[in-house]
Amino acid sequence: MDTIKVLDKEFKLYIPQEKIESVIKEIADLINEDYKDKKPLFIVMLNGAFMFAAQLFKELDIDCETSFVKYSSYEGTHSTCEIKELIGLSSSLEGRDIVVVEDIIDSGFTINRLLQKLQDMKVSSVRIATMLFKPNAFKFDYKIDYVGMNINEEFIIGYGLDYNEHGRNYTSIYKVVE
């Protein structure tokens, strides 16, 4: 499909599924190398990162564990920059190696909030893996260790990304038609 309609907006194909999966394989290869002698805990940011995480885990061949957190900062097509923790971490993570898995990092507020919490929990190390990164919107200076693709400011949906909770199911990524 070259164009789709979700709620009141039209979207056109931006990143096809094949390209997404190729980039995820590249990220997995780097993580496999970096953690070959460790047992990291992957913390997946819900809801958006579930498809990225599922594909990433299919490509990992290291011993690891998985947990999930859910933060909210979007209303419609814009970030509110107000972070709400909807599902948090419940077990002790002291001394653990952590890989945060995020679908997209734009302003960086959500990950920054999680990084503060992980620091308070005395983790051994934290690395960040994101499928998509908007460098022009990024407001922080923390390192993003694994970046699938840099993108511009377009509002996008598909492959886990949503517009008011709709459109996550598409296997490609689409950008809004203005």
Side-chain angles (χ1 to χ4, degrees):
M1 290 183 286
D2 287 336
T3 62
I4 57 172
K5 183 167 175 136
V6 176
L7 298 175
D8 60 337
K9 299 201 179 300
E10 187 176 327
F11 295 82
K12 68 180 180 179
L13 183 63
Y14 185 50
I15 306 169
Q17 178 181 0
E18 298 77 24
K19 173 69 175 167
I20 297 166
E21 290 178 358
S22 169
V23 163
I24 294 171
K25 172 81 168 92
E26 291 171 14
I27 292 172
D29 289 346
L30 292 170
I31 292 172
N32 282 329
E33 182 62 29
D34 289 347
Y35 288 93
K36 63 184 172 195
D37 297 322
K38 297 182 178 182
K39 184 180 176 180
L41 171 65
F42 287 83
I43 297 177
V44 180
M45 302 291 287
L46 294 175
N47 287 338
F50 77 97
M51 286 180 75
F52 170 42
Q55 187 64 35
L56 179 67
F57 294 144
K58 291 176 191 176
E59 303 292 344
L60 293 176
D61 58 18
I62 56 172
D63 189 16
C64 61
E65 295 177 63
T66 308
S67 188
F68 299 89
V69 295
K70 184 174 181 178
Y71 288 61
S72 174
S73 68
Y74 262 80
E75 287 181 12
T77 61
H78 301 287
S79 174
T80 64
C81 295
E82 294 179 26
I83 312 301
K84 298 174 194 159
E85 183 179 87
L86 305 176
I87 299 172
L89 298 166
S90 57
S91 59
S92 171
L93 301 181
E94 188 171 342
R96 296 293 310 265
D97 293 306
I98 307 295
V99 179
V100 176
V101 179
E102 180 65 292
D103 55 348
I104 186 168
I105 297 175
D106 44 34
S107 68
F109 282 102
T110 305
I111 295 292
N112 189 61
R113 176 80 168 276
L114 179 60
L115 290 174
Q116 291 170 351
K117 185 167 188 166
L118 291 171
Q119 184 178 20
D120 292 344
M121 297 177 90
K122 298 181 172 81
V123 300
S124 177
S125 69
V126 179
R127 291 192 181 176
I128 301 167
T130 186
M131 184 172 63
L132 303 167
F133 178 51
K134 292 183 177 180
N136 295 335
F138 193 58
K139 308 252 188 268
F140 296 90
D141 62 358
Y142 56 80
K143 182 179 180 191
I144 303 170
D145 305 274
Y146 310 103
V147 176
M149 291 175 266
N150 288 340
I151 63 170
N152 293 320
E153 300 302 309
E154 295 93 0
F155 182 76
I156 56 177
I157 65 166
Y159 214 85
L161 298 141
D162 74 298
Y163 170 45
N164 285 342
E165 297 300 326
H166 294 266
R168 292 187 195 278
N169 56 304
Y170 293 102
T171 57
S172 295
I173 293 175
Y174 295 81
K175 69 179 178 177
V176 71
V177 176
E178 296 294 343

